[in-house]
């Protein structure tokens, strides 16, 4: 009897497990399993409004999964039905903030997708298509799904200014959003490096602004260019109408972005009279931020109003994105007109002038029945009355907007910038910087903890952004968004559970088969070895992991390339001295991953307890303070995951050796990349203490020494012995005129702090 119960328990648990592992992304709000299966066969009939876009969309997709020449291979049985229906009075039986958008009911005889409106029906169709795609032999489990999204704004952005993508490629991008229930496409159409939308009243915008002499290539710090003319590339108004219609049929709203007052060089190259210095200007060939911006004269506003009139005629979206980010105030400070305007309007300063600029544009768009949304810099000098904020520099902008009863879309760089690396920078294509792997995207909660329940209602949703400085073709677009778009989809839908990340990861991997059928070039970074430095009793150890069987990891510690016969990984590898660890994943003696290589340079601080007085920016905080004593030196060309970044803040780090320790040299690295607003430290001071409270300064170096060392700082402190070491590294402060980002807070990037 006990054996029977045990066998029954095993069989039941296996049945239950198989029934609860639907490979759906995003996972629905409520799933109820039933007994039986619906089996697709050559006699399956379709019921619905054959003239509707939703019905046509489903039939087209279904035929691609089951083309006619495969029907003879499907078992002949009695007819069954797939019904696509609308019911505006759709009811639900569970409490949610939003009513159910659709119900999907599956039995042996029928599949019913019921939407409360055409959008709900379309969402249900996406769920059904995923079930069909991931089913075995056309058998779909009987179940009922009741579902609706948590957030109204579920978005993806695409920059077509740095690199351009064709109408057909943009349509493919929209298809990807539709498949995973995203509903907003943020189309970044103008910037310093290109003007990509036809404006008939101002033909020079595309005649001149849609092309540039050359493009920056390689790492930003290399400052190299390809010498090849780029463009003219732009979308005609007829093409834009075509894309807008295509998106609408997929229930996706396109929000166009027309950048102002900064990021305007392409427009100024065409119409230099709109700037404060009147030019001449060239379309930017370099990435970054430039001092020349729109001058807030009446002629400029008339130009922008005329441009926006044509934009609004093309895009029916409620919101028009007006940028508003990274606008240097240098030219406004130098302009007699701007200074007079500040006085005339009793503005506090140039930040107040930015607010004046944004509010004037907002009033115009409001008069046309539209609303503005902009990056969080539109908060500078005071937020326009009806503006929504897109919070990208962190969550602060979204919090500030929500607390002042303004709507916000959360898109912080630390979680939502898909131009960042998604795997080890050493094994990934060149990217802008940062480190945003799949699990980090999945861990994001768009509702900031400090908001009340009432304030949280002002968070419209979440969006991921794809800037294309280092993305030259559409295959690379695919690589950068997949599989991270899967995680975004589930976060936006409101069903993500970071504590169950592995379960989500398995579902993501199952969708690779769908992408394979579509010919999508997705990233396989999660198959690669992920290395993590952890403290150990003797300093540090190196943990290796993979989404696959960990027994397939093999490694070496002598710098040689690992093979299937190299040492098998079983537990964290002790790092007791400077060394190189290389690792890879193998199946059946065959290499399945990229080879990951990590250099370690150890010192007396390696693995010791470290605290920071101020925390790094969320975008560049991977590993926290421990990153500064993990034995890994940052790559000068890749900001990736081995630097900590601080904007406008000093670095004050205290290291506890644990016991009195002798040393005579202290070292650290700081980065110089002015194009990205990153400046070398102004000074550095070394302190020592035996009690952790009373510190004595023993050595200070200034800017000249840091500059001559090119940021690789070694400080001779003489023979010292102490239990605590404190290092204060002074931020450069406000960026001086003549530099990108002038008048903004400088970034300070710091790497390994060591002592010998």
């Amino acid at each position: 009897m006990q054996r029977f119960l045990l066998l029954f328990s095993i069989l039941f648990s296996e049945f239950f497990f198989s029934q609860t592992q639907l490979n759906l992304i995003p996972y629905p709000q409520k799933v109820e399993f039933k007994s039986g299966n619906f089996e697709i066969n050559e006699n399956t009939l379709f019921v619905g409004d054959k003239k509707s876009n939703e019905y046509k969309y489903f039939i087209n997709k279904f035929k691609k999964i089951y083309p006619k020449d495969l029907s003879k291979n499907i078992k002949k049985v009695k007819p069954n039905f797939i019904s696509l229906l609308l019911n505006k009075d759709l009811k639900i039986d569970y409490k949610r903030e939003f009513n159910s958008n659709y119900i999907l009911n599956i039995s042996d005889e029928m599949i019913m997708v019921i939407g409360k409106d055409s959008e709900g029906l379309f969402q249900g169709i996406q769920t059904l298509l995923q079930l069909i795609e991931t089913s075995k032999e056309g058998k779909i489990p009987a179940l009922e799904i009741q579902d609706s999204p948590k957030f109204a704004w579920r978005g993806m952005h695409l920059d077509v200014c740095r690199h351009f993508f064709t109408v057909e490629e943009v349509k493919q991008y929209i298809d990807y959003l539709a498949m995973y229930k995203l509903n907003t496409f943020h189309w970044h159409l103008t910037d310093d490096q290109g003007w990509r939308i036809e404006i008939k009243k101002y033909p020079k915008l595309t005649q001149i602004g849609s092309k540039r002499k050359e493009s920056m290539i390689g790492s930003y710090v290399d400052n190299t260019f390809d010498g090849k003319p780029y463009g003219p590339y732009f979308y005609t108004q007829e093409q834009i109408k075509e894309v807008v219609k295509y998106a609408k049929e997929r229930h996706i709203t396109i929000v166009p972005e027309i950048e102002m007052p900064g990021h305007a060089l392409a427009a100024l190259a065409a119409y230099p009279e709109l700037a404060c210095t009147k030019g001449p200007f060239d379309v930017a060939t370099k990435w970054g931020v430039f001092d020349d911006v729109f001058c807030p004269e009446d002629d400029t506003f008339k130009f922008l109003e005329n441009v926006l009139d044509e934009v609004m005629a093309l895009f029916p979206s409620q919101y028009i994105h007006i940028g508003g980010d990274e606008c240097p105030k240098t030219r406004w400070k130098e302009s007699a007109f701007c200074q007079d305007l500040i006085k005339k309007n009793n503005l506090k300063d140039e930040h107040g002038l930015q607010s004046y600029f944004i509010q004037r544009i907002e009033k115009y768009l409001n008069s046309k029945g539209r609303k503005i949304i902009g990056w969080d810099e539109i908060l500078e000098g005071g937020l326009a009355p009806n503006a929504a904020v897109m919070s990208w520099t962190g969550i602060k902008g979204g919090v500030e907007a929500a607390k002042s009863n303004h709507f916000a879309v959360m898109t912080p760089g630390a979680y939502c910038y898909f131009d960042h690396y998604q795997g080890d920078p050493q094994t990934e294509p060149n990217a802008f910087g940062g480190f945003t792997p799949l699990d980090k995207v999945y861990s994001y909660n768009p509702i900031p903890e400090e908001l009340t329940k009432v304030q949280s209602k002002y968070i419209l949703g979440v969006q991921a952004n794809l800037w294309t400085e280092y993305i030259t073709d559409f295959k690379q677009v695919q690589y950068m968004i997949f599989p991270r778009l899967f995680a975004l989809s589930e976060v936006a839908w409101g069903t993500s559970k970071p504590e169950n990340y592995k379960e989500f990861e398995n579902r993501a991997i199952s969708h690779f088969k769908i992408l394979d059928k579509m010919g999508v070039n997705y990233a396989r970074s999660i198959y690669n070895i992920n290395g993590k430095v952890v403290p150990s009793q003797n300093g540090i150890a190196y943990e290796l992991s993979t989404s696959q069987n960990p027994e397939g990891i093999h490694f070496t510690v002598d710098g040689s390339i690992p093979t299937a016969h190299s040492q098998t990984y079983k537990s964290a590898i002790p790092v007791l001295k400077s060394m190189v660890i290389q690792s890879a994943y193998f199946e059946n003696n065959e290499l399945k991953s990229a080879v990951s290589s990590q250099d370690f340079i150890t010192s007396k601080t390696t693995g010791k307890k470290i605290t920071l007085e101020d925390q790094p920016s969320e975008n560049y905080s991977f590993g926290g303070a421990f990153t500064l004593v993990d034995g890994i030196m940052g790559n000068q060309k890749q900001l990736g995951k081995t630097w900590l970044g601080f904007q406008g803040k000093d670095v004050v780090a205290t290291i506890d050796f644990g016991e009195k320790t002798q040393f005579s040299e202290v070292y650290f690295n700081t980065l110089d990349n002015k194009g990205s607003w990153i400046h070398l430290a102004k000074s550095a001071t070394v302190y020592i203490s035996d009690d952790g409270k009373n510190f004595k300064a023993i050595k200070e170096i200034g800017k000249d020494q840091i500059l001559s060392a090119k940021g690789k700082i070694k400080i001779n402190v003489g023979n010292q012995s102490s239990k605590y070491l404190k290092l204060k590294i002074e931020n450069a402060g406000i960026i001086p005129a003549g530099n990108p980002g002038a008048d903004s807070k400088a970034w300070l990037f710091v790497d390994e702090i060591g002592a010998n």
Side-chain angles (χ1 to χ4, degrees):
M1 181 67 179
Q2 286 180 329
R3 288 178 64 190
F4 172 78
L5 288 173
L6 177 62
L7 178 61
F8 176 80
S9 174
I10 293 171
L11 290 173
F12 179 79
S13 64
E14 287 182 353
F15 170 78
F16 182 77
F17 178 81
S18 66
Q19 289 288 292
T20 57
Q21 294 303 302
L22 291 176
N23 289 320
L24 294 175
I25 300 173
Y27 208 78
Q29 300 288 355
K30 183 181 179 183
V31 179
E32 181 182 339
F33 291 95
K34 301 177 180 179
S35 61
N37 294 284
F38 180 94
E39 186 171 354
I40 296 171
N41 64 77
E42 65 180 353
N43 294 320
T44 297
L45 301 176
F46 303 96
V47 178
D49 180 0
K50 293 179 172 57
K51 295 180 180 179
S52 71
N53 287 320
E54 291 70 36
Y55 184 91
K56 293 175 184 176
Y57 178 92
F58 174 75
I59 295 298
N60 181 52
K61 291 286 185 180
F62 182 87
K63 286 181 177 178
K64 288 181 179 178
I65 301 170
Y66 289 106
K68 289 183 179 179
D69 59 354
L70 291 182
S71 62
K72 58 188 175 185
N73 297 323
I74 301 174
K75 184 179 177 183
K76 291 185 178 181
V77 293
K78 65 180 182 179
N80 52 20
F81 301 87
I82 297 177
S83 299
L84 310 177
L85 306 172
L86 287 174
N87 181 357
K88 65 180 181 179
D89 299 318
L90 194 64
K91 303 295 182 183
I92 57 172
D93 60 7
Y94 66 106
K95 278 193 172 183
R96 283 191 40 75
E97 188 175 351
F98 296 94
N99 284 332
S100 187
N101 278 25
Y102 73 89
I103 290 176
L104 174 59
N105 230 313
I106 302 176
S107 65
D108 291 345
E109 296 84 19
M110 181 177 288
I111 293 177
M112 292 179 61
V113 185
I114 309 171
K116 74 172 184 181
D117 53 25
S118 58
E119 182 179 5
L121 179 60
F122 190 76
Q123 292 166 352
I125 285 170
Q126 297 302 335
T127 301
L128 175 57
L129 286 170
Q130 287 188 24
L131 286 172
I132 293 171
E133 286 272 20
T134 56
S135 66
K136 293 182 178 179
E137 299 176 348
K139 292 182 179 179
I140 304 171
L143 50 77
E144 181 177 270
I145 290 174
Q146 297 185 20
D147 204 10
S148 61
K150 179 176 182 178
F151 293 106
W153 187 301
R154 306 183 302 281
M156 272 296 302
H157 154 286
L158 180 63
D159 165 22
V160 297
C161 300
R162 278 52 178 247
H163 287 99
F164 181 80
F165 305 99
T166 67
V167 167
E168 289 308 311
E169 289 168 340
V170 171
K171 286 181 177 180
Q172 285 183 56
Y173 198 81
I174 289 168
D175 280 335
Y176 303 151
L177 274 57
M179 286 173 62
Y180 294 98
K181 300 189 178 76
L182 300 177
N183 69 346
T184 306
F185 173 43
H186 176 172
W187 205 354
H188 186 80
L189 290 164
T190 74
D191 215 300
D192 295 302
Q193 295 81 14
W195 185 282
R196 306 294 180 209
I197 174 173
E198 177 190 23
I199 302 297
K200 293 184 177 180
K201 191 174 184 66
Y202 301 108
K204 287 194 287 186
L205 285 171
T206 47
Q207 290 169 1
I208 295 173
S210 71
K211 55 189 176 183
R212 57 180 182 256
K213 294 176 182 177
E214 59 184 357
S215 302
M216 193 174 200
I217 55 173
S219 174
Y220 192 96
V221 295
D222 289 340
N223 203 34
T224 56
F225 299 83
D226 61 9
K228 300 175 182 176
Y230 192 82
Y233 295 127
F234 65 94
Y235 306 101
T236 67
Q237 293 198 2
E238 287 306 309
Q239 288 175 320
I240 286 175
K241 289 175 184 176
E242 179 185 340
V243 173
V244 169
K245 179 177 181 290
Y246 190 86
K248 184 180 180 182
E249 290 171 351
R250 286 150 182 77
H251 297 278
I252 290 173
T253 299
I254 300 182
V255 175
E257 181 177 1
I258 308 298
E259 275 274 15
M260 62 185 81
H263 287 293
L265 265 181
L268 299 181
Y271 295 96
E273 63 272 18
L274 301 175
C276 292
T277 59
K278 311 309 178 191
F281 306 104
D282 291 319
V283 177
T285 59
K286 192 173 184 175
W287 319 136
V289 179
F290 303 91
D291 285 339
D292 289 296
V293 301
F294 285 123
C295 197
E297 297 176 327
D298 287 344
D299 287 347
T300 300
F301 287 108
K302 189 61 182 174
F303 165 83
L304 290 171
E305 289 168 4
N306 290 335
V307 167
L308 290 169
D309 282 344
E310 293 195 34
V311 169
M312 287 186 283
L314 294 168
F315 296 95
S317 56
Q318 180 185 23
Y319 285 101
I320 303 294
H321 203 299
I322 49 82
D325 63 313
E326 298 179 324
C327 178
K329 310 302 188 289
T330 305
R331 297 293 183 254
W332 290 356
K333 281 188 174 183
E334 298 168 347
S335 165
F337 170 81
C338 291
Q339 293 306 308
D340 287 343
L341 190 62
I342 289 172
K343 292 175 184 176
K344 180 181 176 182
N345 289 278
N346 296 316
L347 304 175
K348 184 178 179 182
D349 52 19
E350 290 76 24
H351 295 292
L353 185 55
Q354 165 133 336
S355 180
Y356 165 86
F357 194 112
I358 298 299
Q359 290 192 40
R360 187 160 168 176
I361 292 295
E362 184 194 44
K363 287 176 183 175
Y364 184 75
L365 286 171
N366 288 169
S367 74
K368 302 291 184 178
R370 305 297 185 97
K371 297 178 181 179
I372 69 165
I373 186 168
W375 305 109
D376 48 43
E377 287 95 330
I378 68 171
L379 289 159
E380 293 177 5
L383 189 58
N386 302 307
V389 171
M390 194 165 273
S391 191
W392 75 277
T393 58
I395 66 170
K396 183 180 177 182
V399 170
E400 186 177 337
K403 285 184 175 180
S404 58
N405 300 333
H406 285 264
F407 287 108
V409 175
M410 305 304 290
T411 178
Y415 298 91
C416 299
Y417 267 45
F418 287 3
D419 56 331
H420 289 178
Y421 289 100
Q422 55 193 312
D424 185 343
Q426 296 181 72
T427 60
E428 290 288 311
N430 194 31
F432 194 82
F435 183 62
T436 310
L438 182 66
D439 60 339
K440 190 169 185 180
V441 179
Y442 193 70
S443 71
Y444 183 54
N445 179 3
I447 304 292
E449 292 181 358
E450 53 262 63
L451 295 184
T452 66
K453 190 173 182 180
V454 172
Q455 292 167 344
S456 296
K457 294 183 184 299
Y458 286 96
I459 302 299
L460 286 174
V462 62
Q463 175 178 295
N465 301 324
L466 189 66
W467 303 99
T468 60
E469 287 93 339
Y470 296 98
I471 301 175
T472 58
D473 59 38
F474 194 67
K475 284 292 183 184
Q476 186 66 5
V477 167
Q478 295 171 334
Y479 184 92
M480 297 304 280
I481 66 171
F482 285 115
R484 289 185 286 194
L485 187 143
F486 297 158
L488 174 73
S489 162
E490 196 145 305
V491 167
W493 199 254
T495 53
S496 57
K497 295 179 179 178
E499 66 276 14
N500 294 337
Y501 169 73
K502 275 295 178 184
E503 185 273 331
F504 163 76
E505 186 179 71
N506 290 334
R507 283 187 282 124
I509 290 172
S510 76
H511 277 242
F512 287 173
K513 293 178 182 178
I514 298 175
L515 299 183
D516 285 334
K517 290 179 184 177
M518 296 170 61
V520 172
N521 178 43
Y522 56 89
R524 294 161 175 80
S525 309
I526 57 175
Y527 289 133
N528 291 340
I529 306 300
N530 181 42
K532 181 182 179 182
V533 182
V534 295
S536 72
Q537 188 173 1
N538 297 315
I540 58 172
Y542 197 44
E543 286 185 349
L544 302 178
S545 62
T546 175
S547 61
Q548 306 304 294
N549 180 0
E551 293 180 1
I553 300 175
H554 294 268
F555 71 95
T556 63
V557 295
D558 59 2
S560 61
I561 301 297
T563 69
H565 303 293
S566 299
Q567 192 169 348
T568 301
Y569 178 78
K570 294 181 180 178
S571 60
I573 306 163
V575 180
L576 305 177
K577 61 180 182 179
S578 297
M579 61 197 304
V580 179
I581 298 177
Q582 300 214 69
S583 56
Y585 175 73
F586 295 82
E587 280 184 5
N588 300 320
N589 295 332
E590 183 181 347
L591 179 65
K592 291 290 186 179
S593 73
V595 175
S596 178
S597 179
Q598 185 58 66
D599 289 28
F600 289 92
I601 299 176
T602 60
S603 80
K604 293 180 180 180
T605 64
T606 305
K608 301 302 182 185
K609 182 180 178 181
I610 181 171
T611 56
L612 292 171
E613 287 190 8
D614 287 304
Q615 297 308 306
S617 166
E618 193 176 23
N619 286 6
Y620 298 100
S621 60
F622 186 83
F626 188 70
T627 297
L628 300 178
V629 291
D630 64 0
I632 297 175
M633 295 289 183
N635 187 322
Q636 292 277 341
K637 297 183 179 181
Q638 297 171 336
L639 301 185
K641 59 179 183 177
T642 57
W643 295 87
L644 296 187
F646 302 78
Q647 188 174 26
K649 296 179 181 178
D650 299 334
V651 175
V652 183
T654 302
I655 298 168
D656 181 355
F657 288 115
E659 60 184 7
K660 289 193 75 169
T661 300
Q662 293 183 344
F663 59 93
S664 59
E665 181 185 77
V666 174
Y667 65 82
F668 69 93
N669 291 338
T670 178
L671 198 60
D672 185 15
N673 189 344
K674 293 183 179 63
S676 296
W677 304 13
I678 303 170
H679 288 245
L680 291 173
K682 185 186 294 184
S683 69
T685 308
V686 180
Y687 303 83
I688 58 173
S689 172
D690 286 332
D691 60 8
K693 297 178 181 178
N694 301 297
F695 283 88
K696 179 178 74 173
I698 58 171
K699 190 69 175 282
E700 181 178 359
I701 63 170
K703 186 175 181 179
D704 291 343
Q705 289 169 279
I706 293 171
L707 186 62
S708 64
K710 297 182 179 179
K712 295 184 177 182
I713 314 304
K714 293 183 179 180
I715 306 173
N716 188 328
V717 295
N719 294 325
Q720 303 293 335
S721 178
S722 69
K723 186 173 184 290
Y724 295 91
L725 167 67
K726 180 189 284 188
L727 182 62
K728 179 180 179 180
I729 307 170
E730 187 181 6
N731 189 292
I734 300 299
I735 299 173
N739 290 279
D743 296 322
S744 299
K745 294 176 181 178
W747 281 88
L748 171 63
F749 273 72
V750 175
D751 182 30
E752 199 72 3
I753 299 174
N756 288 314

